Amino acid sequence: MCAKCKNLEERIESARHIADRVPDQSMIDTYQRLISALEAEKVTLHPPQCDGG
């Protein structure tokens, strides 16, 4: 895992940790959007490889 992906993964885990403990649904939704954006950024850095099948 490259350094940028490692940093993104740490941020994703942190956001998940917080989202699991926040009682407010609007905050949970906000953290879920953040997590989705960070995961998309990871995919942009390293697109999934096609196995040709």
Side-chain angles (χ1 to χ4, degrees):
M1 183 179 304
C2 73
K4 287 183 181 182
C5 285
K6 184 174 171 102
N7 179 270
L8 288 170
E9 192 60 38
E10 289 170 358
R11 292 174 61 195
I12 290 168
E13 288 305 313
S14 177
R16 284 187 180 139
H17 179 78
I18 294 168
D20 287 344
R21 286 154 182 77
V22 173
D24 180 46
Q25 187 60 46
S26 66
M27 288 298 295
I28 293 169
D29 295 343
T30 299
Y31 277 101
Q32 291 299 326
R33 286 192 299 273
L34 173 62
I35 291 165
S36 294
L38 292 171
E39 288 174 338
E41 190 173 339
K42 250 178 84 173
V43 170
T44 300
L45 289 171
H46 301 285
Q49 300 296 316
C50 177
D51 63 3

